């Protein structure tokens, strides 16, 4: 989970730093919210893992977006 959090953090920063340009010249910037959990400590199957990660991600979005939450933090 720690390695996944480091990777997701780097990915989040890369997305935030990138500027997407439209043909019109307009610049678009994105942010990303991530929820990370582990098997088998957080769920016993893929559906449970997805539900847990989804809940963590929506928690990040509710608290301001552009962040990362792991099950270890709860």
């Amino acid at each position: 989970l720690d390695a996944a959090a480091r990777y997701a953090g780097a990915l989040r920063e890369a997305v935030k730093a990138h500027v997407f340009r439209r043909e019109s010249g307009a610049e678009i910037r994105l942010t990303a919210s991530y929820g990370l959990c582990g098997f088998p400590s957080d769920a016993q199957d893929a559906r449970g893992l997805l539900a847990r990660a989804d809940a963590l991600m929506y928690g990040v979005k509710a608290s301001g977006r552009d962040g990362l939450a792991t099950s270890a933090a709860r």
Side-chain angles (χ1 to χ4, degrees), residues 8-32:
L11 182 59
R12 187 181 67 81
E13 290 298 327
V15 168
K16 187 176 182 176
H18 187 76
V19 177
F20 296 87
R21 296 195 194 327
R22 296 183 52 106
E23 289 180 17
S24 66
E27 294 183 354
I28 299 171
R29 294 182 182 269
L30 302 176
T31 61

Side-chain angles (χ1 to χ4, degrees), residues 41-62:
S41 58
D42 293 306
Q44 300 303 309
D45 58 24
R47 188 175 301 243
L49 281 172
L50 184 57
R52 179 72 172 125
D54 200 43
L56 289 164
M57 180 203 59
Y58 278 107
V60 171
K61 288 181 176 292

